[in-house]
Structures are given as structure tokens and as C-alpha cells.
Amino acid sequence: DLDDLVDSYRVLISIGGPREVGFRLSLAELQRSVGEVAAAVKTLEEALKAFPKNGFVRIGLAEAYAVQKRPANALQTLRSLSFDDHPAAANVTLFALGSLKASPNSRSLGSYLGTFGSRLEASSELQPSDHLLLAELFQGNGDRTRATRLFRRVISRSKRPGDLARAHFFLGNATSARRYQQEHIRKLPRPSSEDYRLLGDIHAQLADEESAQRAYRTALALLPRQSPRR
């Protein structure tokens, strides 16, 4: 029974000892696994008060905040962590930054990129697709120098045509971008509206208006249809 298991963890936590932090983390993971994210957040906030220097607690709490769509809280929680000591924090940080871009608090993105940008660039935990997201965040924030450096890194390291298409497009290499985006679309069982929208943008960059309009029409046709309100 779930309630009995939760009660058992709380008893173990109340006893304390060297395994207390592990019991707190296990309880939070259990709560998240059954969809009780708010309860997990409360458990982890209590754990952070008891163990403010524990990186695993901070990462767990940041992940829970991110699930709750509270990216700013997640980033504040991760601010003091060393990515060298806790490599997994890099992925959580990048996810929170991406979420922040789409949130009402997006104006603070530049500040957080200033805080975390260099650490993320240096992280060995991130994959080329992660570098692509980080590059696009820098690009959107007006930092073309860092964005260009990361787009070039994606081109040198990624084998995914979708990643390569986006990186070449942002660097202005429209011919290469078109080749990779067309390959990307061919390989997908179900290309998305976004895939065709990017293809349209690439065609437009090449001044191929007819192909651009055709791609945009396909992108519109693939958008989810909303049921009419009654």
C-alpha cells in the first residue's frame, strides 16, 4: 500500500542517521512516480533545509520544479552547484533554460544564460543536440558569438541531419541546410509541422519562393486541428 510505504519512509527519516538523505530522496522519487509532484517538491524542500550542501537533493528538487513548470525556481536551486562535481546538473539546467524561454518570466533568460552559459559550454555531459538548443538560446538572446561557436560545434560532432540542418540554417549555409532538412524529413515516419516550417524558412533564405510556399502549406496542414467551440 502506497500510504504505508510513505509512512515507512517518514519513520526512517525521523530516525536520522547516515542514510537519512537517501530515504528522503527515495520518498520524493516514489511520490513523483505516482504523479504526486507537489508532495515530492515538499519532501525535497525539507531535504534541502536539512542538507543544504547536498547536490543530489538540489538536482532532484530542480527536476521537480521543472516538472511543475517553475524553471526559475529550478535554476535558482542549481545556481551554486559545480557541474564538475555533479555532471547531471547540466542537463537539468539546460531543460530549465529551455522552459524559461517559453514562460512568462522569459525576460530573465539573459541573466541565467550569463550565470550558466560558460558552465554548460564546458560540460562534457551535453550531446550535440543539447549544444544546438544552447546555441539557439544564445542566438535568441542576441549573443551571436557564442551561438556561432556552438552551431559550429554541432556541425563538427553531430550525425543527425535534423541537427545539422538547423545549425547550417542559423549560420546562413542555406544550401547545406536544405540538403540536411530534406534528408531529415525523408527519414521520419511522420514529419511534424515544425519540420516543414523550417524547410520553408530555408527555401525562403534561398529565394525559392515557390518551394517555400509549398513547405509552409504542408506545415499548416500538419498543425493539430482544434474542435470548434459549441
Side-chain angles (χ1 to χ4, degrees), residues 96-152:
L97 286 170
S99 299
L100 184 64
K101 180 183 177 182
S103 77
N105 296 319
S106 59
R107 291 182 180 178
S108 61
L109 179 62
S111 174
Y112 283 116
L113 281 173
T115 299
F116 292 104
S118 296
R119 282 188 275 171
L120 287 170
E121 277 195 81
S123 171
S124 60
E125 191 77 4
L126 300 186
Q127 300 300 311
S129 56
D130 300 318
H131 291 139
L132 180 63
L133 172 57
L134 183 59
E136 290 174 346
L137 290 173
F138 279 130
Q139 176 91 357
N141 198 54
D143 192 338
R144 294 187 59 85
T145 299
R146 298 176 91 172
T148 297
R149 182 166 63 240
L150 283 164
F151 285 132
R152 288 174 176 165

Side-chain angles (χ1 to χ4, degrees), residues 159-179:
K159 296 182 179 180
R160 300 173 59 181
D163 290 351
L164 293 168
R166 286 163 64 187
H168 277 293
F169 173 70
F170 279 104
L171 289 174
N173 305 327
T175 301
S176 295
R178 177 165 61 182
R179 183 177 75 254

Side-chain angles (χ1 to χ4, degrees), residues 34-50:
V34 296
E36 296 183 0
V37 180
V41 165
K42 182 178 180 181
T43 295
L44 290 163
E45 287 176 339
E46 292 171 352
L48 188 60
K49 288 180 181 178

Side-chain angles (χ1 to χ4, degrees), residues 1-64:
D1 182 83
L2 179 62
D3 291 337
D4 289 341
L5 191 54
V6 169
D7 290 341
S8 296
Y9 273 123
R10 294 201 182 281
V11 169
L12 292 168
I13 290 168
S14 68
I15 294 172
R19 298 182 62 187
E20 179 186 345
V21 67
F23 291 136
R24 290 180 182 271
L25 288 168
S26 295
L27 173 58
E29 182 61 30
L30 172 65
Q31 291 166 325
R32 278 191 59 184
S33 71
V34 296
E36 296 183 0
V37 180
V41 165
K42 182 178 180 181
T43 295
L44 290 163
E45 287 176 339
E46 292 171 352
L48 188 60
K49 288 180 181 178
F51 302 94
K53 296 182 179 180
N54 189 288
F56 298 105
V57 172
R58 286 188 175 275
I59 292 171
L61 180 56
E63 287 178 334

Side-chain angles (χ1 to χ4, degrees), residues 176-219:
S176 295
R178 177 165 61 182
R179 183 177 75 254
Y180 283 118
Q181 187 64 6
Q182 288 172 335
E183 179 185 352
H184 172 64
I185 289 173
R186 282 197 305 270
K187 289 183 175 181
L188 289 176
R190 291 185 179 181
S192 68
S193 174
E194 177 62 23
D195 292 321
Y196 279 99
R197 187 201 62 77
L198 176 58
L199 182 60
D201 290 347
I202 294 168
H203 284 311
Q205 195 174 83
L206 289 165
D208 186 346
E209 293 300 325
E210 183 179 345
S211 296
Q213 290 302 318
R214 186 163 56 247
Y216 289 141
R217 285 195 295 270
T218 303

